[in-house]
Amino acid sequence: MGIYIYREEQIEKIFRACQIAVGVLKVLEPYICEGISTFELDKIASEFIAAQNAKAAFLGYRGYPATLCTSINDVVVHGIPSKKVKLRRGDIVGIDVGVYCDGYYGDVARTYKVGNVSRQAETLLRATEEALMKGIEQVVIGNRISDISHAIEVHAAMYGFSAVREFVGHGIGLSLHEEPSIPNFGEPGMGPRIAEGMVFAIEPMVNAGSFEVRILKDGWTAVTADGSLSAHFEHTVAVMNGKAKILTAIE
Ligand code: MF3
Ligand code: CO
């Protein structure tokens, strides 16, 4: 199989899917307040995606039942939106959304604050977003995939936090998940070389405590094993002119 190399016209289409995904986050942002249920957020997202003539990429993926993943506090990823789960002041909530449009996929996630949050939560959000950017900086022609992984792990560790090992970033474009898988930890200098036209979803999850996670009985919700807070940031990037172009940047 190997890693797919996308042509410019294809990357343009991935960009369009990515911009709809980022558009979802922009539409949701004003609603991320105390009292709203994650089900309501999911509904707003679904309606927006439908209005763009696009499709929710996660809905039905291996049986996943919603448009968004909404992951609160100790939920690492894959929190399922629910009428019973309402945002509370002081929460952090990761919102992850994938979009399919005109044959191509885009994937983005950010973790948001609900009102004022603890100092630790503030630091965790900053560390995780910075770790994502450190990973993206390693997306340079000639580097290897694990250079991304290593940069993420080291940055989380610098804050005394732990990059999650159980979930990985991935190639993306014609499918939601393609080669290569991009771990968020590891020795540098390993794995395939990065080349022009590759497209990656880079997505560090960082726990305030240990990196261990467990999956709840719903088969999806991943929580930290020690109950500590967790954050998740994700961008889809394309290798263009030798370096990363962030396709999910807010334009
Ligand atoms: N961003 C995550 C990923 O790429 C979210 C997947 S949710 C799922 O794996 F439902 F699609 F699994
Ligand atoms: Co992803």
Side-chain angles (χ1 to χ4, degrees):
M1 286 300 291
I3 303 173
Y4 194 94
I5 303 295
Y6 289 94
R7 299 186 307 275
E8 223 172 287
E9 321 87 77
Q10 294 178 295
I11 293 175
E12 185 56 39
K13 289 186 175 183
I14 301 170
F15 175 74
R16 269 187 252 142
C18 285
Q19 286 299 306
I20 297 169
V22 156
V24 171
L25 296 184
K26 275 207 282 198
V27 165
L28 290 176
E29 273 167 27
Y31 293 96
I32 301 173
C33 296
E34 182 181 22
I36 195 165
S37 73
T38 51
F39 177 85
E40 289 170 280
L41 294 175
D42 197 72
K43 185 157 177 283
I44 296 163
S46 308
E47 288 171 356
F48 176 80
I49 292 169
Q52 311 299 312
N53 294 312
K55 284 206 159 77
F58 301 165
L59 183 65
Y61 179 86
R62 297 186 180 193
Y64 188 74
T67 291
L68 301 177
C69 298
T70 49
S71 304
I72 298 174
N73 295 336
D74 65 325
V75 179
V76 178
V77 280
H78 303 162
I80 301 171
S82 161
K83 286 182 179 167
K84 285 185 268 180
V85 177
K86 294 196 164 127
L87 301 185
R88 291 182 301 196
R89 251 183 303 161
D91 283 345
I92 57 172
V93 56
I95 300 188
D96 189 351
V97 59
V99 165
Y100 178 73
C101 181
D102 198 15
Y104 294 87
Y105 287 89
D107 194 357
V108 69
R110 302 187 63 82
T111 302
Y112 293 93
K113 303 185 273 186
V114 184
N116 290 324
V117 301
S118 67
R119 275 270 284 285
Q120 185 191 51
E122 291 271 5
T123 310
L124 181 66
L125 297 192
R126 181 168 2 107
T128 310
E129 188 168 16
E130 284 173 2
L132 170 59
M133 297 317 292
K134 293 284 179 191
I136 291 172
E137 277 172 27
Q138 293 299 315
V139 177
V140 176
I141 282 180
N143 271 8
R144 291 187 186 271
I145 291 298
S146 87
D147 296 326
I148 304 169
S149 313
H150 184 71
I152 290 169
E153 179 184 20
V154 164
H155 198 75
M158 193 184 85
Y159 279 89
F161 299 143
S162 314
V164 170
R165 298 174 171 227
E166 197 125 321
F167 301 101
V168 295
H170 48 95
I172 182 170
L174 285 164
S175 310
L176 178 61
H177 295 134
E178 299 180 353
E179 284 180 42
S181 73
I182 308 173
N184 294 303
F185 72 102
E187 290 306 312
M190 319 274 277
R193 274 194 201 282
I194 294 168
E196 189 77 6
M198 291 180 176
V199 180
F200 307 131
I202 301 175
E203 49 177 320
M205 292 134 267
V206 176
N207 296 349
S210 94
F211 62 76
E212 277 149 295
V213 306
R214 67 191 173 83
I215 311 293
L216 300 187
K217 288 203 186 82
D218 62 22
W220 282 103
T221 312
V223 300
T224 57
D226 60 10
S228 65
L229 289 177
S230 187
H232 179 212
F233 283 82
E234 174 174 27
H235 272 312
T236 298
V237 307
V239 185
M240 289 176 81
N241 304 313
K243 59 183 175 53
K245 181 179 182 212
I246 301 179
L247 303 181
T248 44
I250 298 186
E251 296 281 301

